[in-house]
Amino acid sequence: MRGVRIVLFALVWLSCVWFGSWERNDNQATRMYAAIGLVERGDASIDPYATLTIDKAMFGGRTYLDKPPGMTLMALPAVWIVDRVTGDRASHYDSAIGGYDFDRYLRLRVRLAVAMGPALLTALAAVLLFDLGVGLSGSAGAGLFAALGYALGTPVWGWSTTLLGHAVVADLYVVAIWAVWRGLSLPRGASGHALLAGVALGWAVVVEHQAVLAGAVLALWAAWAARDRADRGWLIGAALIGGAIALVPFATYNLVAFGTPFRIGYAGVVGWEGMHQGLFGLGMPRMSVLREVTIGARYGLIWVAPVLVLAPYGLWMWGQRPRTRSLAVAAALAAAVVLLVNAAYVYWQGGNTTGPRFAIPAVAPLALGLAAAWAHAGDRGIRIGMAALLALSIAINAAIASAEIFAPPGSAFPVWQAVIAGPFADGVLRTLPSEWFGWSPWAGFRWWCALALPMLAWLVWRVRRVQA
């Protein structure tokens, strides 16, 4: 199965890197401005770019990133590498900040940061989900169904073309779940897996602070699942050390930016008064909002990821087996926490977004249910229907990833009106060849099909052959 893992990783990584998102989206660009400042000036402020973004914070008369710094810190190597290779600097554009040449300067760094960060993690998460699906069900088909459903059948794909943290948090949840499951399957020597789980959950909090809530559910599940092990104390200690290690860059960033490790960018946010309500914009969950982010036509997860309709059934089936019951309960609770946090947020819509972007981390635990749904579908006709649903989901998300992950608000059914029937139908696509090599957007999309579809077909063929 090594070949399946390699091709799956390559397919997902290529698909995330091949398409790009608008580099000047405020939510994305402000993270890159901070990374550029840290690399090129040794300064975390974004003062030179303050007029280019509405997403910012003010402290002591200076302008800073108003987001958690995780994605900015992940982008630092890409900025450093491109600067060293090209010799280019943001200061070269001081008189033309926001112009075409500056956009190209920014785009190159965003694309490499995506390739080294979100795309890499999503490809890794797909492989780990495959491993989880195979290990839990004994079916390679179940593992592949879960992996493809997660990485290419949901907006995890589209958000993995950006420097927003939603897909990364989902990926880190997958890493943590896999590390706990794999570690607990070992009779001894699982401290490394516990350390990895702690790092994953800790870094998720650095990327998006609210990730601590669903992450706590997974951490409690891990501690409970290890209750009968003689080395339980060592495992918990290793996980705590991993979490602490992950928080060190966060504290270091705060020291560089603010002179203290104890500050959150949201505390100084400018222009978003709702962030000063409740706990940085979080109040009580609203059932009407929960309905909108799950089944609502404008933001509902089900419309941008139809394959997830199978996830609750799959988790229910996992829950019927003693071996997987605790994992199913933890996955369901973690997904519910993510959705409830979205429903409790004052800016729950997320501005320009295709689908409910704050709900994307819930896809990670839900994807476990996809493996169970496939494994328990004994009838060939049912599996053909499930495969068709997955194919539809991949087609929808190919359009989203290539055309518009940042759909503007206002459409009654954005996935159709603002994506498929809009920029995608019109050929307004962002592909690697069209952005950098002068190809037409449709030529770039066709070449992705020429590369990706054979890999996808080979994966299906290989898995079917293994199970024959």
Side-chain angles (χ1 to χ4, degrees), residues 241-276:
I241 291 171
I245 290 172
L247 294 176
V248 169
F250 175 50
T252 303
Y253 167 84
N254 280 344
L255 282 171
V256 171
F258 311 120
T260 173
F262 306 108
R263 177 163 288 176
I264 295 177
Y266 287 135
V269 68
V270 174
W272 303 95
E273 296 306 317
M275 293 299 295
H276 301 293

Side-chain angles (χ1 to χ4, degrees), residues 6-18:
I6 292 172
V7 174
L8 176 62
F9 183 95
L11 170 63
V12 173
W13 184 82
L14 173 72
S15 297
C16 295
V17 170
W18 195 266

Side-chain angles (χ1 to χ4, degrees), residues 173 205 209-218 279 282 333-334 337-338 341:
Y173 285 166
V205 176
H209 296 328
Q210 69 271 24
V212 69
L213 299 173
V217 172
L218 298 178
L279 180 63
L282 290 179
L333 288 176
V337 167
V338 173
V341 169

Side-chain angles (χ1 to χ4, degrees), residues 44-72:
S45 76
I46 61 170
D47 288 336
Y49 320 104
T51 60
L52 299 181
T53 179
I54 60 174
D55 288 336
K56 50 195 171 187
M58 295 292 294
F59 295 101
R62 303 197 69 191
T63 313
Y64 293 91
L65 173 72
D66 66 336
K67 315 292 182 188
M71 298 307 298
T72 287

Side-chain angles (χ1 to χ4, degrees), residues 80-117:
W80 184 85
I81 289 171
V82 176
D83 281 8
R84 289 294 297 268
V85 171
T86 65
D88 207 2
R89 298 291 186 277
S91 58
H92 298 167
Y93 305 93
D94 284 347
S95 61
I97 287 289
Y100 173 82
D101 289 337
F102 179 74
D103 284 356
R104 189 174 178 85
Y105 159 92
L106 189 65
R107 185 182 310 132
L108 179 58
R109 285 151 183 80
V110 169
R111 297 296 182 269
L112 184 59
V114 164
M116 296 174 63

Side-chain angles (χ1 to χ4, degrees), residues 21 27-28 31-32 71 75 110 113-114 118 159 161-165:
S21 58
N27 214 316
Q28 174 161 258
R31 291 172 163 90
M32 185 54 70
M71 298 307 298
V110 169
V114 164
W159 293 115
T161 70
T162 78
L163 290 180
L164 277 69

